Amino acid sequence: VNPNFQGTSVAETDLLQLLARHGAEPQALVQILRELQELHGWLPRDVLKRVADALGLTLAQVEGAAGFYRFLHMAPVGTYRVLFSDNVTDRMLGSVALMDDLCRRLGVAPGRLGEDGLVSVDRTSCTGLCDQGPALLVNHHHVVTRLDATRVAQLAGLIRAHVPVSQWPAEWFEVRDNIRRADVLMGEPSAPGAALAAALARGADEMLAEIKRSNLRGRGGAGFATGLKWELCRRSPGVGRVVVCNADEGEPGTFKDRVLLSRRADAVFEGMTLAAHIVGARRGLLYLRGEYRYLLEPLLAVLQRRRDTRLLGPSILGREGFDFDIAIHVGAGAYVCGEESSLIESLEGKRGTPRIRPPFPAEHGYRGLPTIVNNVETFCAVGHIALQGGAWWAGIGTPQSSGTKVHSVSGDCERPGVYEYPFGTRIGRILEDCGARDTQAVQVGGPSGVCLSAFEFGRRIAFEDVPTAGAFMVFDRSRDMFEVARGFAHFFAHESCGFCTPCRVGTALVVKRMDKLAAGHGSRHDIDVLFELDKLMHTATHCGLGATACNPLRDTILKFRPAYERHLKSLYFEPGFDLDAELSVARRMTGRHDAGAYLENPP
Amino acid sequence: VTDTADTTGPSFSLDGEDVAFNPGETVLRAATRAGRYIPHLCWHPDFAAHGSCRLCIVKVNGRAGAACTLRAAPGLDVQSNTEELNAHRKTLLQMLFVEGNHFCPSCEKSGNCLLQATAYEMGMEGPHFEEFYPDRPVDASHPDILLDLNRCILCELCVKASHDIDGKNVFEIGGHGIGTHLLVNSDSGRLADTAMTLTDRAASICPVGVILPKRRGFLIPIGERRFDTASVSEQANRGQS
């Protein structure tokens, strides 16, 4: 018997327990929905209603939030919910055929629930396991890495036999760190508390001055000066400030934060605590992407150990008045929440729609309080600056891009994994080190970044040359760059929040054009329309994510145009309407299969 | 007169002409008060800016932004009525037309519709893109109000009106991406089971033909409707926003 489908009742005690743990406040909505779903599989309407009543929200508000997140379900899903990671790197490793195989073995269609309610199989955006794919996510919690035909066959057998996920072979869930090149951040960690003690010895003013001296810039991609952001927050009037760590690592091809959270969690939390010391915050939040749910328990254990050793909680390191603690918020599948104002909306339990800016979070952030939001890697860096000084950090890398950068290398190379280099490193150097051969292109910074072709491999990783949030996907000459761009187009359409016209409709129109080209019905006119859409989206979208949604398209059309033209039916106009396809039903019914039958005009 | 800016106060330039503003105002609010037309759909003077339709896109020193959220500042050089921006506006309108099911000839709102009027204003002659033809419901459950979601452009004015003015929270936004849609707040999800009445502000705020009063569709004949007599920009110039 499937426990998910015993009526639609959720035990009242479960809800009361969740309310007791998270507080009966609207901010807790997404966490409560997520955990209710963990217990009951999906979220029936009467459950939404009960949650709404408990939190003082309307049913439509709860429905609106639940419908925003890809991992929350308002219709039944399988007891086993299998989601294949659908990044281009997974597809290059054969995920499409493996998913088809699993569906065939289980007798279900992708995205459809089988009649017995046992299993549903679908795709999801990149799960951050590109160096050990193809990967899949089970029940929004467990990950299975390094899929192959054998694993898929066994998996199908275990599901059909109703074997609980906890009893599946342990090695399937193994997530390797694959640290291939370490520098400052991935190198020998300092003892927990050492950086914090150094910061306290310097004092908040001097510590902020050190960070400004280091020229540290945010590692999430935009590269805003960290010291300036913290100073703005510190100066903002208001009682209570908030430190937020953005661990919503959703940019396809990026997995360096996963490794930092697995191996350097103390450094991340220490950086957050150090930030709290500087800006005067008492409250910290780490927004962990839903795909990294399996990291929650280890991270909570690190937090508890830090509390036990007085590195978190009241009077940190015995300093009277230095009170700070960190809670973890688990996301529910929404790429746009990596944008800092969406992330704050999501932390507040709402739909993750980007806010109108200004005001910026440093003045008006979480619940209206001055808030700093920084990337996992940025927080890792500040501890090292506390220990060794701003001038030391500024001496690494280039004048405009100080320090080191961690890269997530995947795709066509012998040694995928995590590589840390000083800023200013040549693209070609990284390609050599990872064992890439016959390389056609590298997508740096993920789909919203830049696609470089071979003549650009002499360029350097730096904010002033090739900026990156950490993804480095390699494509050799056997790959069709049009198909790469088409995959990214589908990603952006799937992840658009739907708020503004150009992104909501534009990403869907791009997909239609790309699919038309892929089906062999395209013409040069379609490429012109794609250019037009790219220009509009760069100018008119509400947030930066929409603005970059056409980047891979523009880069690949400019640099790999033959890849597009191979898909064109003619170089001139070609309608999307396919007469033969439209007539196929009539032909079957009349038995007329002779060529040109539709041209006849009988009297 | 309280509804005008002090002419000796600060001003910015809109397409080469000065527009006076009150401190804290946005470019669109000051321009509207001065009788200057910047195309817009989701903005309404009675409500906080929303910024979703992007029709009011302007350029300041080469940087694009939405006039409804852009804070006016002394000496700003704002470009709005340019060939490039009007082309973008036309494309945005075409996107809204193909996204929903907009059949003007059979729509009760024709002639009173801001989407239609703005499309005329921007010289839109056809959809340009392929239509999506979405399958969206019509809710005729309410005795006095028809809800036809085929025409929704997600401006959220009804959400705000119902929340801010009517105090009823009848509407909300659900879904994501191209599936984003208007929600009705009732256990059944139907309008009949809400507290909404014809006198609510939310019942008359819709700029397109989603929220319509029943049995009044053709009281004013086509040809004598709001935008039949004067274009949207002419009305803005007369101070009718």
Side-chain angles (χ1 to χ4, degrees), chain A residues 45 49 58-61 63-64 67-68 70 351 496-502 504 513 532-533 536 539-541, chain B residues 50-54 57 64 69 88 95-96 99 128 130 132 154 172-178 180 183 185-187:
Chain A
R45 198 169 172 82
K49 173 81 175 142
T58 68
L59 173 58
Q61 281 170 328
E63 195 184 347
F68 184 83
R70 316 303 181 270
R351 297 166 59 78
S496 168
C497 82
F499 176 77
C500 77
T501 311
R504 182 182 68 244
R513 294 281 152 166
E532 179 195 330
L533 288 167
L536 175 74
T539 314
T541 52
Chain B
H50 190 238
S52 73
C53 77
R54 313 310 284 176
I57 181 170
T69 58
H88 282 330
M95 285 178 164
L96 289 169
E99 180 192 20
H128 182 58
E130 55 275 40
F132 287 57
L154 301 167
E172 209 49 65
I173 296 294
H176 59 254
I178 199 69
T180 307
L183 293 172
N185 181 44
S186 65
D187 287 1

Side-chain angles (χ1 to χ4, degrees), chain A residues 228-432:
Chain A
L228 181 59
K229 185 187 273 187
W230 292 11
E231 186 168 40
L232 289 171
C233 176
R234 190 183 193 208
R235 285 188 184 164
S236 292
V239 183
R241 293 184 176 74
V242 185
V243 171
V244 175
C245 177
N246 183 346
D248 190 36
E249 187 174 49
E251 187 71 38
T254 317
F255 49 84
K256 49 102 188 165
D257 289 345
R258 168 188 36 98
V259 180
L260 286 168
L261 291 166
S262 307
R263 292 281 282 264
R264 296 290 178 271
D266 262 303
V268 178
F269 294 137
E270 187 131 342
M272 291 176 72
T273 313
L274 212 153
H277 175 55
I278 291 175
V279 303
R282 296 166 64 95
R283 181 159 194 193
L285 292 160
L286 182 136
Y287 190 107
L288 183 69
R289 75 180 300 220
E291 291 81 350
Y292 293 169
R293 168 66 184 80
Y294 61 95
L295 292 176
L296 178 63
E297 282 78 15
L299 288 171
L300 288 172
V302 174
L303 285 176
Q304 192 51 49
R305 206 182 60 230
R306 291 183 71 83
R307 281 183 204 110
D308 295 343
T309 50
R310 304 204 70 180
L311 296 174
L312 273 181
S315 304
I316 291 171
L317 284 175
R319 176 73 62 102
E320 195 71 26
F322 184 15
D323 309 332
F324 179 70
D325 211 329
I326 298 170
I328 297 177
H329 173 109
V330 184
Y335 165 72
V336 71
C337 290
E339 194 277 339
E340 64 177 7
S341 69
S342 311
L343 184 139
I344 290 170
E345 288 285 296
S346 183
L347 283 174
E348 291 181 358
K350 301 178 202 154
R351 297 166 59 78
T353 302
R355 289 179 175 177
I356 293 168
R357 303 187 304 171
F360 291 93
E363 298 174 297
H364 189 92
Y366 179 70
R367 302 181 75 173
L369 302 170
T371 303
I372 57 163
V373 183
N374 282 104
N375 182 262
V376 169
E377 192 180 343
T378 313
F379 282 120
C380 275
V382 294
H384 292 276
I385 294 167
L387 284 167
Q388 309 205 51
W392 162 79
W393 182 266
I396 307 169
T398 76
Q400 283 154 286
S401 309
S402 62
T404 64
K405 180 79 195 84
V406 187
H407 301 271
S408 325
V409 177
S410 63
D412 293 314
C413 62
E414 281 172 16
R415 292 174 296 278
V418 166
Y419 291 72
E420 183 183 10
Y421 293 96
F423 268 110
T425 300
R426 270 187 319 111
I427 304 290
R429 162 84 197 275
I430 304 175
L431 287 170
E432 288 153 24

Side-chain angles (χ1 to χ4, degrees), chain B residues 52-188:
Chain B
S52 73
C53 77
R54 313 310 284 176
L55 261 286
C56 71
I57 181 170
V58 292
K59 277 198 171 178
V60 180
N61 301 328
R63 277 191 68 174
C68 67
T69 58
L70 181 68
R71 205 58 76 76
L76 279 191
D77 181 16
V78 181
Q79 303 288 316
S80 171
N81 190 13
T82 68
E83 205 175 310
E84 182 204 12
L85 292 174
N86 286 336
H88 282 330
R89 290 176 179 130
K90 190 163 96 174
T91 307
L92 289 168
L93 287 159
Q94 288 164 327
M95 285 178 164
L96 289 169
F97 269 92
V98 299
E99 180 192 20
N101 294 312
H102 298 274
F103 307 115
C104 297
S106 66
C107 178
E108 283 182 27
K109 192 81 173 202
S110 186
N112 290 323
C113 172
L114 189 61
L115 179 68
Q116 184 192 43
T118 310
Y120 278 128
E121 187 73 37
M122 290 295 116
M124 181 184 138
E125 290 171 340
H128 182 58
F129 302 111
E130 55 275 40
E131 277 95 345
F132 287 57
Y133 296 128
D135 186 7
R136 295 192 193 163
V138 174
D139 179 350
S141 63
H142 194 284
D144 301 318
I145 302 164
L146 179 73
L147 194 64
D148 187 343
L149 296 177
N150 286 289
R151 302 158 186 159
C152 184
I153 58 168
L154 301 167
C155 69
E156 295 192 33
L157 282 171
C158 59
V159 179
K160 290 192 167 85
S162 185
H163 177 268
D164 300 356
I165 295 178
D166 306 329
K168 293 183 181 177
N169 293 315
V170 169
F171 299 107
E172 209 49 65
I173 296 294
H176 59 254
I178 199 69
T180 307
H181 58 274
L182 194 65
L183 293 172
V184 172
N185 181 44
S186 65
D187 287 1
S188 65

Side-chain angles (χ1 to χ4, degrees), chain A residues 442-452 456 459 465-467 551-552 555 559:
Chain A
V442 187
Q443 185 78 31
V444 183
S448 74
V450 60
C451 185
L452 301 176
E456 298 166 289
R459 292 179 64 183
D465 191 355
V466 183
N551 281 3
D555 281 350
K559 296 172 189 174

